[in-house]
Amino acid sequence: MGKVKGQPVALFRTGPSTFAAFSLLCPHQGVTVTRNENGWVCNAHSSEFEADGDLVLGPATTGLARVPMKVSKNVATIG
C-alpha cells in the first residue's frame, strides 16, 4: 500500500513476475478501504472486495479502480 498523487493505492501480484495496481478508494462514495483477512472492506457502508480489488459485496457496483502501472528493470512505476 502507498499513495500516488495523494491517492491511496495497492499493488498485487497477478503472476510469477507480473503485477497490477488499484485504487483503495471505494467506488461507492470514495471512502478509503481497509485490509481484512479476505481482501478489502469499506467501513462506511460495508462493501467488500477481493484481495485483487474485484467486487464481492455492495453497495458498490464495481470493483476497485485499476491504476496504470508498468514494470521495467524490476522497478514498478505506478500512476
Side-chain angles (χ1 to χ4, degrees):
M1 294 187 333
K3 289 191 176 195
V4 173
K5 298 179 183 175
Q7 299 296 315
V9 297
L11 181 69
F12 72 100
R13 184 180 296 272
T14 58
S17 60
T18 58
F19 299 86
F22 57 89
S23 170
L24 292 178
L25 296 179
C26 180
H28 178 238
Q29 289 191 342
V31 175
T32 301
V33 298
T34 56
R35 188 84 166 113
N36 69 14
E37 62 277 356
N38 299 316
W40 304 92
V41 65
C42 177
N43 293 318
H45 298 105
S46 301
S47 290
E48 296 179 15
F49 306 90
E50 298 282 354
D52 65 2
D54 288 346
L55 179 65
V56 174
L57 178 69
T61 58
T62 64
L64 300 171
R66 297 289 191 243
V67 175
M69 71 162 293
K70 66 179 181 175
V71 177
S72 177
K73 298 182 182 179
N74 296 323
V75 175
T77 302
I78 303 169

